[in-house]
Amino acid sequence: MKLLRLVLPLAALLVAPPGLVRAENQAAVQVAAESSDQSDQTDQSDQSAAQPSDNTDAFSQGSAVNGDEQQPAGAAEGGATDENAGTAESTEAAGAEAAKPVVISDFASAVAALSSESYDDKLKAVQFLGGLGDARAAPILQALTEDRLYAAADGALVYVDGQKLRAALDGKEIPGPKPAGLNLISANNRVRGLIQGVLGQLRLLDPDASVRRRAAEAIADQPTAESAAALARALAKETEPATRAAMLTTLARLQVQDADPAKRLAAVRSLADSTDPTVAGVLRHQLEVEKDAAVRAAAEAAIKSIQSRLLWYDIGADLFEGLSLGSILLLAAIGLAITFGVMGVINMAHGEMIMLGAYTAFVVQQLFRALLPPGWIDAYLVVALPVAFLVTALIGIGLERGVIRFLYGRPLETLLATWGISLILQQAVRSIFGPDNQAVSNPSWMTGGVPLGGGFTLTWNRLGIIIFCLAVLGGLAALLRYSAFGLHMRAVAQNRPMAAAMGIRTGRVDAYTFGLGSGIAGVAGVALSQIGNVSPNLGQIYIVDSFMVVVFGGVGSLWGTLMGAASLGIINKFLEPFSGAILGKIFVLVFIILFIQRRPRGLFALKGRALEG
Amino acid sequence: MLLDRLFAAPDAPGMGGPRLWLWFGGIGALLLIVVPVLNLAVPEGSALHLPNWAVPLAGKYLCYAVLALSLDLVWGYCGVLSLGHGAFFALGGYSLGMYLMREIGTRGVYKNPILPDFMVFLNWKSLPWYWYGFNHFWFAVIMVMLVPGLLAFVFGFLAFRSRITGVYLSIITQAMTYALLLAFFRNDMGFGGNNGLTDFKDIIGFDLRDQGTKVGLYVASAIALGLAFLLCRYVVTSKLGRVMMAVRDAEARVRFLGYSVTGVKLFAFTLSAVLAGIAGALYVPQVGIINPSEFSPGNSIEIAIWVAVGGRGGLVGAILGAIAVNLAKTWLTGAVPEIWLFFLGGLFILVTLLLPRGLMGLLTRTGRHAGPALAAEAAAAEESGATEERHA
């Protein structure tokens, strides 16, 4: 505490050391009980903190009473201000108080004091409002820093909020035209600087928990004594666990530099549970100047524990990103698993089916924007999925009937013909939509994500794609396993003449199967449009990868496709930190080329006695 | 003995016998004498003068023809559809490109006698070890053949030994060229990254901008094409060539008869890669640049369509297809660029659907010698179709 006062005389003048200490004690009780006892005995100011009612001054008493009603910690602050003013560290404040007896006793009087001529009164009023911790003060102080706060003719304060005029006290809108005689209330840099700090503290009490958490984290970056006090007060009231944890961490970060070794030790120990990479930096910084052996040892242990925890977070993040990449690969490859795996057709135009699906999503989005009221736009994705399926399935059936069926049994020719189809589709899309990237926006329920600590965020669109691709895979497996069409499909794939002899119309089954594979590619395109731009080359990006997945997993096996996609995605992401994205991809390609040597039919090859596949 | 074999009536489709050699000599003379004379000896302004830009363009077509020939050797005769031949072509090109870069010497922008410009630009202090030796032309020539040949040998050994056939092989060769594409895009590889190698000044002392050098390179390409054709013809008419065709038509049967299918395929694949590398090396000084886009999988598939358009399994067809498709490409990309991909795509579909024997099939069908050869061919095609059906 003494150290803080020496370093920050101005802050010490206005701050509430007792309040800080008391709150510290509260924090410390949760953090480490033994340290708070020691600090109570050693620090003089702690004793005054224990008896806030000792204050006798009208100024502080009023505030104490008021503060006690609203929040106990705030009450101590008034006393502290008074106490420090008496220590003559700053005669300026004391003199101003004597010359102009502006009485600040509650919220209303503090707001009124903002219009005082003296900047010292303003400072005091701002400080008081900050200590009060009343959320109503935030817009008023914000308005003051931005020169939007006025004094009306009758002395009441108003502020401009956009086109509206609001009363400062209750925030209610004042109807009618702007009254004449408004007097701008000015602020100097000292006042503005103080308001910035106070606003940060007020945000600690914001009704929105995420705002509170962010405010607590922001304090850790620019710690001051007042903010520490406000943090301690806010902590006393905080009930939301995540925010509470953030506040405790921030407080501990401030206490790491405390003069008292016992407190430092407690703070360091509490920080050992952190998952924030910057905390390790703070500890390392402290380690350079730390003299106390016990604290040093604790800090070293804490750094080690944070790093090992961060390593796990990194692995978790890599795993998630790998699964996310794997799910994208899987979506791109499922359709191919049907056309290539089940029918044996090398469809090089598969990537273009994905691209057409993505463009369908784009067109549906544009139609929603153009034709429907704005509130409907979020629903476009739900409509785009079946539309994309139908469009690409129909194109696929057309291709099968028009080109591919004449090439059955000639896989190399099929490869070349479908490559030709892919060139034509690409150029057609380029002619219609232009060569540029088109943006498909995420619906609002797909944007954002959950931060999971360690600088890692679980984004909804990635999570959505993982779930969606599993759903598609599951649906497809069920279709193959349980429906009559699936039965026919498997029969034709296994033994075409026998299936035909049993009365299955093999030609029609071929067409539908190809349509199904293409339709799934189209649906994959809709999903891919959610994580990137849509361009005519979209399919080219995925075609080599999709073939790799199918070949790696084992042709004709959906389970193999799933495992192939997931393992390729994860391998890729785990290689990236060591080798960079491109080299990682090269390694994966080389790995597959070598892998195929060992298992020419993939991970999950269908067992059979045929000489050649 | 050698001449007897070369003059023998062909087993492969297409033209053969003395007529072939008449054509060979005629076209060879046309390419080797008439083009240079029309360009250099006939004065400008004359109606017969061949414009200067046409010579390297024609040379480029001849390089493509060598490349198509090399693919026809493995695809048409051995049944191995490589979709990675662009990689061998590009590796040959890079090998000669490295010599051309070293040859620039102090004439580069940064005037560094040892390091090429892009290395100075990247702040490299010394030459990477794999650039050593490329200041000698003979070394570069060896590398032009050795690098693609070695890659093909290792890759082919691994692939053919594990009996990777058909589309699986096509897909992993595509993965190979894709991996190389990504690798050569990286600046750290030391091959100029995105921009590749360019700004060449001269080759074994001849200024590349000089029209005489261009004609010389063109003539070299024409000779290379002729020699490559003779070499391929020699191989496919040999006993080995018959085994190659047998592998193409019924691989399992050949294996059971006691032949080393792996060895036959490996020989064809490696020889083919060396030819592709030579084509790339002749291509680079004529177009003046080599960059990673040559590795793109699309390029390699395009080579397959040249061969398919011309008619695979006949050598002549591959040359014809490469030149015909690239003439169309030059004309269409100049006149109506947006049509080109429609045209190319349509070509892929129409040729595979309607012209399984390509342009050569059309020519021989109308020719007098079509009869028995075609029937044998059709039988072979049916056989291979049946085999492939079993694959699927």
Side-chain angles (χ1 to χ4, degrees), chain B residues 144-209:
Chain B
V144 159
M145 294 184 270
L146 193 65
V147 173
L150 202 64
L151 175 67
F153 184 81
V154 172
F155 188 89
F157 176 73
L158 291 171
F160 299 138
R161 189 194 50 163
S162 350
R163 302 189 192 176
I164 297 171
T165 52
V167 290
Y168 291 92
L169 189 95
S170 305
I171 290 171
I172 65 163
T173 50
Q174 197 178 26
M176 174 193 78
T177 188
Y178 186 58
L180 284 168
L181 168 78
L182 293 176
F184 273 75
F185 262 123
R186 302 177 67 240
N187 277 331
D188 316 359
M189 281 285 285
F191 294 108
N194 206 358
N195 298 321
L197 310 176
T198 188
D199 283 339
F200 308 131
K201 299 288 189 249
D202 56 23
I203 180 167
I204 35 176
F206 297 102
D207 190 344
L208 278 171
R209 282 158 299 183

Side-chain angles (χ1 to χ4, degrees), chain A residues 123-342:
Chain A
L123 281 173
K124 225 175 283 168
V126 168
Q127 188 57 49
F128 180 80
L129 286 172
L132 217 48
D134 191 324
R136 285 180 293 171
I140 305 172
L141 295 178
Q142 190 75 42
L144 180 55
T145 53
E146 289 167 11
D147 288 336
R148 290 187 286 113
L149 187 68
Y150 297 88
D154 57 357
L157 296 192
V158 294
Y159 64 92
V160 181
D161 180 17
Q163 295 297 312
K164 295 168 188 156
L165 200 62
R166 292 182 190 279
L169 272 181
D170 50 10
K172 280 198 185 117
E173 192 180 338
I174 298 170
K178 220 180 211 179
L182 284 184
N183 225 345
L184 180 69
I185 297 176
S186 59
N188 64 5
N189 280 343
R190 258 178 82 200
V191 174
R192 285 208 178 88
L194 183 62
I195 287 177
Q196 283 313 315
V198 166
L199 277 177
Q201 296 159 28
L202 284 176
R203 281 194 202 103
L204 286 172
L205 305 164
D206 197 278
D208 184 352
S210 65
V211 173
R212 292 203 298 274
R213 194 159 55 232
R214 270 201 300 279
E217 282 156 7
I219 285 177
D221 298 331
Q222 292 171 323
T224 60
E226 313 97 304
S227 56
L231 188 63
R233 289 198 305 277
L235 185 65
K237 283 175 55 180
E238 187 58 55
T239 51
E240 210 254 335
T243 312
R244 211 180 153 76
M247 287 179 174
L248 276 174
T249 306
T250 305
L251 205 58
R253 280 176 68 168
L254 300 181
Q255 286 176 339
V256 162
Q257 288 148 10
D258 197 286
D260 180 1
K263 268 193 203 165
R264 288 205 300 272
L265 188 65
V268 165
R269 285 197 180 138
S270 75
L271 281 178
D273 295 331
S274 169
T275 55
D276 188 346
T278 59
V279 169
V282 169
L283 287 176
R284 220 169 280 134
H285 193 73
Q286 180 64 24
L287 204 55
E288 282 168 19
V289 295
E290 182 60 59
K291 302 271 191 307
D292 189 286
V295 179
R296 283 191 74 89
E300 271 159 13
I303 290 174
K304 210 171 272 174
S305 107
I306 289 172
Q307 274 170 342
S308 74
R309 198 170 305 111
L310 277 179
L311 183 71
W312 285 109
Y313 267 88
D314 275 353
I315 291 176
D318 278 346
L319 209 61
F320 174 72
E321 276 169 20
L323 281 179
S324 167
L325 179 67
S327 69
I328 291 163
L329 290 177
L330 180 60
L331 268 179
I334 293 175
L336 206 63
I338 301 272
T339 50
F340 181 41
V342 177

Side-chain angles (χ1 to χ4, degrees), chain B residues 140-291:
Chain B
V141 169
I142 292 174
M143 285 299 147
V144 159
M145 294 184 270
L146 193 65
V147 173
L150 202 64
L151 175 67
F153 184 81
V154 172
F155 188 89
F157 176 73
L158 291 171
F160 299 138
R161 189 194 50 163
S162 350
R163 302 189 192 176
I164 297 171
T165 52
V167 290
Y168 291 92
L169 189 95
S170 305
I171 290 171
I172 65 163
T173 50
Q174 197 178 26
M176 174 193 78
T177 188
Y178 186 58
L180 284 168
L181 168 78
L182 293 176
F184 273 75
F185 262 123
R186 302 177 67 240
N187 277 331
D188 316 359
M189 281 285 285
F191 294 108
N194 206 358
N195 298 321
L197 310 176
T198 188
D199 283 339
F200 308 131
K201 299 288 189 249
D202 56 23
I203 180 167
I204 35 176
F206 297 102
D207 190 344
L208 278 171
R209 282 158 299 183
D210 193 47
Q211 190 59 24
T213 316
K214 288 179 182 172
V215 172
L217 284 166
Y218 163 82
V219 169
S221 307
I223 293 173
L225 177 61
L227 290 177
F229 177 77
L230 289 179
L231 179 68
C232 290
R233 176 107 192 133
Y234 176 72
V235 169
V236 299
T237 52
S238 69
K239 205 176 141 194
L240 179 67
R242 289 177 161 270
V243 181
M244 275 165 61
M245 281 181 270
V247 167
R248 173 191 70 189
D249 294 338
E251 183 175 330
R253 243 177 272 180
V254 176
R255 205 185 293 278
F256 287 134
L257 285 171
Y259 289 98
S260 163
V261 171
T262 307
V264 171
K265 281 185 169 177
L266 196 54
F267 169 78
F269 194 60
T270 310
L271 177 63
S272 165
V274 171
L275 284 178
I278 292 171
L282 286 163
Y283 170 86
V284 167
Q286 300 192 66
V287 295
I289 185 169
I290 174 85
N291 61 30

Side-chain angles (χ1 to χ4, degrees), chain A residues 346 348 409-410 412-413 416-417 419-421 423-424 427 547-548 555 583 586 589 596-597 601 611-612, chain B residues 75 158-159 162 164 167-168 171-172 174-175 178 183 186 252 301 312 338 341-342 345 348-349 352 388 391:
Chain A
I346 309 296
M348 297 300 276
R410 287 156 61 194
L412 297 182
E413 275 88 346
L416 296 177
W419 178 260
I421 293 170
L423 292 181
I424 291 176
Q427 187 59 34
F547 270 108
M548 291 301 124
V555 175
L583 211 54
I586 296 169
L589 285 172
I596 291 180
Q597 319 294 329
R601 300 272 168 240
L611 176 65
E612 291 171 352
Chain B
W75 184 28
L158 291 171
S162 350
I164 297 171
V167 290
Y168 291 92
I171 290 171
I172 65 163
Q174 197 178 26
Y178 186 58
R186 302 177 67 240
I301 298 187
R312 65 188 159 113
E338 61 277 12
L341 277 182
F342 285 124
F348 273 102
I349 299 169
T352 47
E388 278 162 358
H391 278 254

